[in-house]
Amino acid sequence: MPPLRIGLLGCGQIARAVHLPVLRVLPNVRLAAIADANDAALAAAAELVPHAARFADFHALIGSGDLDAVVICLPPHLHAPSAIAAFEAGLHVYLEKPLAPSAADGARVLDAWRRAGTIGMIGFNFRFHPQAERIRQRVRAGEIGTVLGIRSVFSILPHQIPEWKRTRALGGGVLLDLASHHVDLVHHLLGDPVVRAYASVRSLQAECDHAALQLELASGASMQAFVSLGTVDEHRLELLGTSGKLVMDRTELTRPEHVAATLRGARVRRVRRALEALEPARLLRSPGAEPSFATALGVFAAAAAGGPFAGPDLIDGARCLAVVEAAERAASTGTAVVPAWTEPATGPSTNQPAAR
């Protein structure tokens, strides 16, 4: 079987640090082309993949006719036009979140996807983190009983925020950037959609760079989340149930923590914490290591090559975008808002690659 020919749209810092290194070593994949309007970014990416064709415009890359799929890492205000162009060219698309800056733009992407009949995957890579996969299994097995509440925090260290992240009009803000990951994770782990959202936001270094959310799920469970683009580095998600708690923590844990809602469970937790403080894997690992990116891109490549595909797809992206927009309206009005999203009876999530 010939290798899957992939084009990378967007060669910014994250793309060069994550997507490009993964794509150039994936089996049976050839990173055939790269595109970026920024000359310096394009040149830096070309040093890593000198064999790839270079384009200063994503339209030119898509129209080159020598590709099977694209990975889109452009600023969010370019997500809709680039994804639509790729689908209209019959390509498979891996689109980094968010789906689009607005639900209206997102609907246009969904329409193009349905017409194309190709794979459309959204970049919710944390679904593929080993801790998240294990937690999902345990929740579905009933290990913590009925889920009552979720607590989460996702924050990153203070840094120079890129210009496109500074304004909501270009797709910036912490709700689209970080909160969207946890909104999707909760739906993935529980299969429990958000039915009401409330939020408060602060704008210190950029528009909406810190936010607190209160989400109500269809089951009656509630979620409290804090997200920030400039404080300590933390990424933690806790699911509290009637018979215990499960914890995902990318910065502190190497495996999910399970705490039984019993006196013995509390004691075991204290002993485990003391012993794990000296665990070599926790002491020596790189704080920036994140295995889920490679897994997610591998899933996309396998599906685009003809394998099965179970998501996350663009419907997952649209669902999450509706929650983010509801939270933004809630922050501006001071009242809880119902997300403007209706689960489709059927959708294109089972799309299989069109014959090429």
Side-chain angles (χ1 to χ4, degrees), residues 83 87 93-95 99 106 109-114 118-124 309 311-320 341 348-349:
F87 283 128
V93 175
Y94 182 101
L95 178 62
L99 174 68
V109 177
L110 290 180
D111 288 342
W113 177 38
R114 292 185 175 99
T118 57
I119 296 296
M121 182 170 177
I122 195 78
F124 287 136
F309 178 59
D313 63 20
L314 301 191
I315 286 180
D316 294 305
R319 179 192 300 112
C320 180
W341 172 253
S349 59

Side-chain angles (χ1 to χ4, degrees), residues 131 233-236 248-255 276 279 282 285:
Q131 291 186 43
D233 183 28
E234 191 165 350
H235 190 170
R236 184 177 178 89
M248 172 184 172
D249 194 321
R250 289 181 52 241
T251 59
E252 297 294 333
L253 300 174
T254 56
R255 64 185 66 86
E276 288 182 345
E279 184 179 359
R282 293 178 63 186
R285 70 174 177 169

Side-chain angles (χ1 to χ4, degrees), residues 3-76:
L4 184 76
R5 301 165 299 173
I6 292 182
L8 177 65
L9 278 58
C11 300
Q13 183 178 358
I14 295 298
R16 297 196 308 271
V18 175
H19 302 78
L20 194 155
V22 169
L23 291 171
R24 69 178 182 174
V25 299
L26 277 179
N28 207 37
V29 164
R30 180 166 67 90
L31 184 52
I34 56 178
D36 201 293
N38 183 289
D39 292 339
L42 186 61
E47 290 183 3
L48 299 174
V49 281
H51 64 274
R54 306 177 206 177
F55 296 88
D57 178 80
F58 70 78
H59 288 290
L61 181 151
I62 291 171
S64 66
D66 192 34
L67 296 172
D68 303 303
V70 293
V71 172
I72 299 176
C73 299
L74 295 165

Side-chain angles (χ1 to χ4, degrees), residues 10 53 60 98 107 139 141 169 174 186 188 195 209 225 257 271-272 275 277 313 327 330 334:
V139 168
V174 74
V186 167
H188 176 62
V195 297
D209 52 354
E257 181 182 52
V271 172
R272 184 188 299 124
L275 295 174
D313 63 20

